[in-house]
Coordinates of all heavy atoms in Angstrom, one line a residue:
L1 N 2.4 15.5 -5.1 CA 3.3 14.9 -4.0 C 4.8 15.1 -4.3 O 5.6 14.5 -3.5 CB 3.0 13.5 -3.6 CG 1.5 13.4 -3.2 CD1 1.1 12.0 -3.1 CD2 1.2 14.2 -2.0
K2 N 5.2 15.6 -5.3 CA 6.6 15.6 -5.9 C 7.6 16.0 -4.9 O 8.7 15.4 -4.7 CB 6.7 16.3 -7.2 CG 8.0 16.1 -7.8 CD 8.1 16.8 -9.1 CE 9.5 16.5 -9.8 NZ 9.7 17.2 -11.1
P3 N 7.4 17.1 -4.1 CA 8.4 17.5 -3.1 C 8.5 16.4 -2.0 O 9.8 16.2 -1.6 CB 7.7 18.7 -2.4 CG 6.8 19.3 -3.5 CD 6.2 18.1 -4.2
F4 N 7.5 15.7 -1.6 CA 7.7 14.6 -0.7 C 8.5 13.4 -1.4 O 9.2 12.7 -0.8 CB 6.4 14.2 -0.2 CG 5.7 15.3 0.6 CD1 4.6 15.9 0.0 CD2 6.1 15.6 1.8 CE1 4.0 16.9 0.6 CE2 5.5 16.8 2.4 CZ 4.4 17.3 1.8
I5 N 8.1 13.1 -2.6 CA 8.6 12.1 -3.4 C 10.1 12.1 -3.6 O 10.9 11.3 -3.4 CB 8.0 11.9 -4.8 CG1 6.5 11.6 -4.7 CG2 8.7 10.9 -5.7 CD1 6.2 10.2 -4.2
N6 N 10.5 13.5 -3.9 CA 11.9 13.9 -4.1 C 12.8 13.5 -2.8 O 13.9 13.1 -2.9 CB 12.2 15.2 -4.5 CG 11.8 15.5 -5.9 OD1 11.7 14.5 -6.7 ND2 11.5 16.6 -6.2
I7 N 12.1 13.6 -1.7 CA 12.9 13.4 -0.4 C 12.7 11.7 -0.1 O 13.7 11.0 0.2 CB 12.3 14.1 0.8 CG1 12.6 15.5 0.6 CG2 12.9 13.6 2.1 CD1 11.9 16.4 1.6
G8 N 11.6 11.2 -0.2 CA 11.4 9.8 0.1 C 11.9 8.8 -0.8 O 12.2 7.6 -0.4
Y9 N 12.1 9.2 -2.1 CA 12.7 8.2 -3.0 C 14.1 8.7 -3.6 O 14.5 8.3 -4.6 CB 11.7 8.1 -4.2 CG 10.6 7.2 -4.0 CD1 9.3 7.6 -3.3 CD2 10.5 5.9 -4.4 CE1 8.4 6.8 -3.1 CE2 9.5 5.1 -4.3 CZ 8.4 5.5 -3.6 OH 7.3 4.7 -3.3
Q10 N 14.8 9.4 -2.7 CA 16.2 10.0 -3.1 C 17.2 8.9 -3.3 O 18.1 9.0 -4.1 CB 16.6 11.1 -2.2 CG 17.0 10.6 -0.8 CD 17.5 11.8 0.0 OE1 18.5 12.4 -0.5 NE2 17.0 12.0 1.2
S11 N 17.0 7.8 -2.6 CA 18.0 6.8 -2.7 C 17.5 5.6 -3.7 O 16.3 5.4 -3.6 CB 18.5 6.2 -1.4 OG 17.3 5.5 -0.8
G12 N 18.3 5.0 -4.3 CA 18.0 3.9 -5.4 C 18.8 4.1 -6.6 O 19.8 4.6 -6.6
Q13 N 18.1 3.7 -7.7 CA 18.9 3.6 -9.0 C 19.2 5.0 -9.3 O 18.4 5.9 -9.4 CB 18.0 3.1 -10.0 CG 17.4 1.6 -9.7 CD 16.3 1.2 -10.8 OE1 15.7 2.1 -11.2 NE2 16.2 -0.1 -10.9
Y14 N 20.4 5.2 -9.7 CA 20.9 6.6 -10.2 C 20.4 7.0 -11.5 O 20.5 8.1 -11.8 CB 22.4 6.7 -10.0 CG 22.9 6.7 -8.5 CD1 23.4 5.5 -8.0 CD2 22.6 7.8 -7.7 CE1 23.7 5.6 -6.7 CE2 23.0 7.7 -6.4 CZ 23.6 6.6 -5.8 OH 23.9 6.6 -4.5
N15 N 20.0 6.0 -12.3 CA 19.6 6.4 -13.7 C 18.0 6.6 -13.8 O 17.5 6.8 -14.8 CB 19.9 5.2 -14.7 CG 19.3 3.9 -14.2 OD1 18.7 3.8 -13.1 ND2 19.3 3.0 -15.2
A16 N 17.4 6.7 -12.6 CA 16.0 7.0 -12.5 C 15.7 8.2 -11.5 O 16.4 8.2 -10.5 CB 15.2 5.7 -12.1
T17 N 14.8 9.1 -11.9 CA 14.5 10.2 -11.0 C 13.6 9.6 -9.8 O 13.0 8.5 -10.0 CB 13.7 11.2 -11.6 OG1 12.4 10.7 -12.1 CG2 14.5 11.8 -12.9
P18 N 13.5 10.3 -8.7 CA 12.7 9.9 -7.7 C 11.2 9.7 -8.0 O 10.5 8.7 -7.7 CB 12.8 11.0 -6.6 CG 14.1 11.5 -6.9 CD 14.5 11.5 -8.4
L19 N 10.8 10.7 -9.0 CA 9.4 10.5 -9.4 C 9.2 9.2 -10.2 O 8.2 8.5 -10.1 CB 9.0 11.8 -10.2 CG 7.4 11.8 -10.5 CD1 6.6 11.8 -9.4 CD2 7.2 13.0 -11.4
N20 N 10.2 8.9 -11.0 CA 10.0 7.6 -11.9 C 10.2 6.4 -11.0 O 9.5 5.4 -11.2 CB 11.2 7.6 -13.0 CG 11.0 8.5 -14.1 OD1 9.8 9.0 -14.3 ND2 11.9 8.8 -14.9
R21 N 10.9 6.4 -9.8 CA 11.0 5.3 -8.9 C 9.6 5.2 -8.2 O 9.1 4.0 -8.1 CB 12.0 5.3 -8.0 CG 13.5 5.2 -8.6 CD 14.6 5.0 -7.6 NE 14.8 6.2 -6.9 CZ 15.7 7.2 -7.3 NH1 16.3 7.1 -8.4 NH2 16.0 8.3 -6.5
A22 N 9.1 6.2 -7.8 CA 7.7 6.2 -7.2 C 6.7 5.7 -8.2 O 5.8 4.9 -7.8 CB 7.4 7.5 -6.6
L23 N 6.7 6.2 -9.4 CA 5.7 5.8 -10.4 C 5.8 4.3 -10.8 O 4.8 3.7 -10.8 CB 6.0 6.6 -11.7 CG 5.0 6.3 -12.9 CD1 3.6 6.6 -12.6 CD2 5.6 7.0 -14.2
S24 N 7.0 3.9 -10.8 CA 7.2 2.3 -11.1 C 6.6 1.6 -10.0 O 5.8 0.5 -10.3 CB 8.7 2.0 -11.2 OG 8.9 0.7 -11.3
Y25 N 6.8 1.9 -8.7 CA 6.3 1.2 -7.6 C 4.7 1.2 -7.7 O 4.1 0.2 -7.6 CB 6.8 1.8 -6.3 CG 5.9 1.2 -5.1 CD1 6.2 -0.2 -4.7 CD2 4.8 1.9 -4.6 CE1 5.3 -0.8 -3.7 CE2 4.1 1.3 -3.6 CZ 4.3 0.0 -3.2 OH 3.5 -0.4 -2.2
H26 N 4.2 2.4 -7.8 CA 2.8 2.6 -7.8 C 2.0 1.9 -8.9 O 0.9 1.4 -8.7 CB 2.4 4.1 -7.5 CG 2.7 4.6 -6.1 ND1 4.0 5.1 -5.9 CD2 2.0 4.5 -5.0 CE1 4.0 5.3 -4.6 NE2 2.8 5.0 -4.0
L27 N 2.7 2.0 -10.0 CA 2.0 1.2 -11.3 C 2.0 -0.3 -10.9 O 0.9 -0.8 -11.3 CB 2.8 1.6 -12.5 CG 2.7 2.9 -13.1 CD1 3.6 3.1 -14.3 CD2 1.2 3.1 -13.6
T28 N 2.9 -0.8 -10.4 CA 3.0 -2.3 -10.2 C 2.3 -2.8 -8.9 O 1.8 -3.8 -8.8 CB 4.3 -2.9 -10.3 OG1 5.2 -2.3 -9.3 CG2 4.9 -2.6 -11.6
E29 N 2.3 -2.0 -7.9 CA 1.9 -2.4 -6.5 C 0.7 -1.8 -5.9 O 0.1 -2.3 -5.1 CB 3.1 -2.2 -5.5 CG 4.4 -2.9 -5.9 CD 4.2 -4.5 -6.0 OE1 3.3 -5.0 -5.4 OE2 4.9 -5.0 -6.8
A30 N 0.3 -0.6 -6.3 CA -0.6 0.3 -5.6 C -1.8 0.7 -6.6 O -2.3 1.9 -6.5 CB 0.0 1.5 -5.0
M31 N -2.1 -0.1 -7.5 CA -3.2 0.3 -8.5 C -4.3 -0.8 -8.5 O -4.1 -1.9 -8.5 CB -2.5 0.4 -10.0 CG -3.3 0.9 -11.0 SD -3.7 2.7 -10.8 CE -2.0 3.3 -11.1
L32 N -5.5 -0.2 -8.4 CA -6.7 -1.1 -8.4 C -7.3 -0.8 -9.8 O -7.3 0.2 -10.3 CB -7.6 -0.7 -7.3 CG -7.2 -0.9 -5.9 CD1 -8.2 -0.3 -4.9 CD2 -7.1 -2.3 -5.6
G33 N -8.2 -1.9 -10.2 CA -8.8 -1.8 -11.4 C -8.3 -2.7 -12.5 O -7.2 -3.3 -12.4
T34 N -9.2 -3.0 -13.5 CA -8.9 -3.9 -14.6 C -8.8 -3.3 -16.0 O -8.6 -4.0 -17.0 CB -9.9 -5.1 -14.4 OG1 -11.1 -4.5 -14.6 CG2 -9.7 -5.8 -13.2
G35 N -9.2 -2.1 -16.1 CA -9.4 -1.6 -17.4 C -9.2 -0.1 -17.4 O -9.3 0.6 -16.3

C-alpha cells in the first residue's frame, strides 16, 4: 500500500517517512493478538 501511504501520510513529522508514520500508527492502534 506504499503508494497510497505516501500520499495519505505526507504531512506530519519531517524526521519520519510516510511509511514509518503509518507503521507507528498501525503497530499501536490497529493490531490484534497477544503473541
Side-chain angles (χ1 to χ4, degrees):
L1 302 171
K2 190 173 178 184
F4 301 105
I5 299 290
N6 285 341
I7 294 170
Y9 281 79
Q10 69 175 303
S11 64
Q13 302 168 338
Y14 290 103
N15 61 345
T17 66
L19 187 61
N20 284 346
R21 287 193 291 273
L23 179 64
S24 175
Y25 167 79
H26 289 88
L27 283 173
T28 58
E29 304 295 333
M31 192 67 65
L32 294 172
T34 57

